[in-house]
Amino acid sequence: MTLGKSPKRLPDRLGMVARVALFAMTVSVFAGEYALAEQGAQNPQQTTIQQQPKKQTQTQKQLQGNQTFKQTQQQNAPKQQQVNQAAQPPKLKQFEQQQQKQAELQQQQKLQQQKQAQQTQQQLLKQQQQTQQQLLKQQQQKQTQQLQETKQAEKQRQQMLDQSQKQNQAQFQRFDWNTYHPGQRPPLWAQYRQNFDPRPYQWARNAPRHYEVRYLPPPGWRYQRWNYGQIYPRPYWVQPYWLTNYYQYGLEPLPYGYVWVQNGPDALAVDSFSGVILQVIYGLFASGGGLL
């Protein structure tokens, strides 16, 4: 305990010594002045002469005392600071150290938070890029799927058309011209005409090519531009005017009960019982309806 209190008493002792020295100096000064005052009462002239050098010495001594006091204070200032620092209790030091540690920890936490924020921003950017790429892929996949679906649908339609055409061709075969008589229904008419739909076959178009054919028109015949759905006169589609070799002119086989007939420069697909025109090809024959 004595060792712990010694540094606190050093500045107190030094201050006491300086105060005692000042007190002694002031007492000596007052004593000298009192003696001079008594002498001056007795011999005023001598006292005035003697007081002058004494006053000078006193002022010099005071100045010297003040200087020494200041020097001692300056010399003792760092010691007092050291003593004050040493005299600080350990709790204050611990508190200061804790504050420093807390400040350092707070700075580290701030840095970590900044790093985490940067990392989160980078992650968000990556996620956005990934989502955009996924959306693009999905759109491309959808487009490819749609294209495939459309292609499949077109294929199915073509297959359905091919099948329907094949069925129609199988159902509506060509005539057996040896067994047919004009003005009568062809054989198997009821079997093949119940479910027949003429609408897909109804059309009229120009011929892509021309053929040289000898044409002998029936009596009273005049050229007329016929169309599908009209009724062709019976004298003009009798058997001598049928085109039995239609395939030589690029014509397709017709459904059951129809025949190809020449009408001057045109070729007509006519119902062999009613005379209703199903198809027309204009300008197939180069004769132009004239006689050859």
Side-chain angles (χ1 to χ4, degrees):
M1 296 296 288
T2 58
L3 292 171
K5 293 179 180 179
S6 60
K8 290 181 179 180
R9 290 179 179 178
L10 286 172
D12 295 333
R13 289 177 180 176
L14 292 170
M16 289 292 290
V17 170
R19 289 173 184 173
V20 169
L22 286 170
F23 183 74
M25 290 172 69
T26 52
V27 168
S28 62
V29 169
F30 282 117
E33 288 179 354
Y34 181 74
L36 289 170
E38 287 182 352
Q39 288 178 4
Q42 293 177 0
N43 295 316
Q45 293 179 355
Q46 291 179 356
T47 54
T48 54
I49 294 165
Q50 291 177 356
Q51 282 177 356
Q52 291 178 355
K54 287 181 180 180
K55 287 181 180 178
Q56 292 178 357
T57 54
Q58 287 176 1
T59 53
Q60 289 177 359
K61 286 179 181 181
Q62 286 179 359
L63 291 169
Q64 288 177 359
N66 291 325
Q67 288 177 357
T68 53
F69 181 71
K70 289 180 181 178
Q71 288 176 359
T72 53
Q73 283 183 351
Q74 289 176 359
Q75 290 175 359
N76 293 324
K79 291 180 180 179
Q80 287 179 358
Q81 289 179 357
Q82 291 177 359
V83 169
N84 290 325
Q85 290 177 357
Q88 286 180 355
K91 290 182 180 179
L92 292 172
K93 290 181 180 179
Q94 290 177 357
F95 181 72
E96 290 177 355
Q97 290 176 357
Q98 288 177 356
Q99 286 182 347
Q100 289 178 356
K101 287 180 180 179
Q102 287 178 357
E104 290 176 355
L105 289 170
Q106 287 177 358
Q107 288 179 356
Q108 290 177 358
Q109 288 177 357
K110 286 180 181 178
L111 292 171
Q112 288 178 357
Q113 289 176 357
Q114 289 177 357
K115 288 180 180 178
Q116 288 178 357
Q118 290 177 356
Q119 289 176 357
T120 51
Q121 287 179 357
Q122 290 177 357
Q123 289 177 357
L124 289 170
L125 289 170
K126 287 180 180 178
Q127 289 178 357
Q128 289 178 356
Q129 290 176 356
Q130 289 176 357
T131 51
Q132 288 178 356
Q133 289 177 357
Q134 288 178 357
L135 289 170
L136 289 171
K137 287 180 180 178
Q138 289 177 358
Q139 289 178 356
Q140 289 176 356
Q141 288 176 357
K142 286 181 180 178
Q143 288 177 357
T144 52
Q145 286 178 358
Q146 288 177 356
L147 290 170
Q148 289 177 357
E149 288 177 355
T150 52
K151 286 180 181 179
Q152 289 178 357
E154 288 177 356
K155 286 181 180 178
Q156 289 177 357
R157 288 175 184 174
Q158 288 178 357
Q159 289 176 358
M160 293 290 289
L161 289 171
D162 293 336
Q163 288 178 359
S164 63
Q165 287 178 359
K166 286 178 182 178
Q167 288 176 359
N168 289 326
Q169 287 178 2
Q171 289 177 1
F172 306 107
Q173 298 174 356
R174 287 183 297 168
F175 291 115
D176 185 3
W177 303 110
N178 295 321
T179 60
Y180 176 72
H181 297 285
Q184 297 177 357
R185 291 176 184 266
L188 304 175
W189 182 271
Q191 181 180 353
Y192 291 103
R193 290 298 289 266
Q194 288 178 358
N195 298 321
F196 177 67
D197 185 9
R199 288 177 295 180
Y201 298 93
Q202 290 177 345
W203 48 262
R205 65 184 70 167
N206 293 319
R209 294 181 62 184
H210 304 287
Y211 297 91
E212 292 289 340
V213 177
R214 183 178 178 83
Y215 179 66
L216 295 174
W221 174 88
R222 290 181 181 179
Y223 175 74
Q224 183 179 346
R225 191 179 177 87
W226 297 92
N227 201 349
Y228 63 87
Q230 294 178 344
I231 297 173
Y232 195 54
R234 186 181 294 273
Y236 300 159
W237 57 267
V238 292
Q239 192 169 4
Y241 298 100
W242 295 354
L243 297 171
T244 56
N245 58 346
Y246 59 89
Y247 49 88
Q248 292 180 358
Y249 308 115
L251 298 173
E252 296 180 356
L254 294 170
Y256 187 83
Y258 289 89
V259 293
W260 284 109
V261 179
Q262 185 177 2
N263 177 39
D266 304 332
L268 309 178
V270 182
D271 188 345
S272 62
F273 178 74
S274 62
V276 177
I277 299 170
L278 183 67
Q279 295 177 5
V280 183
I281 298 176
Y282 300 112
L284 182 63
F285 305 109
S287 63
L291 300 175
L292 297 177

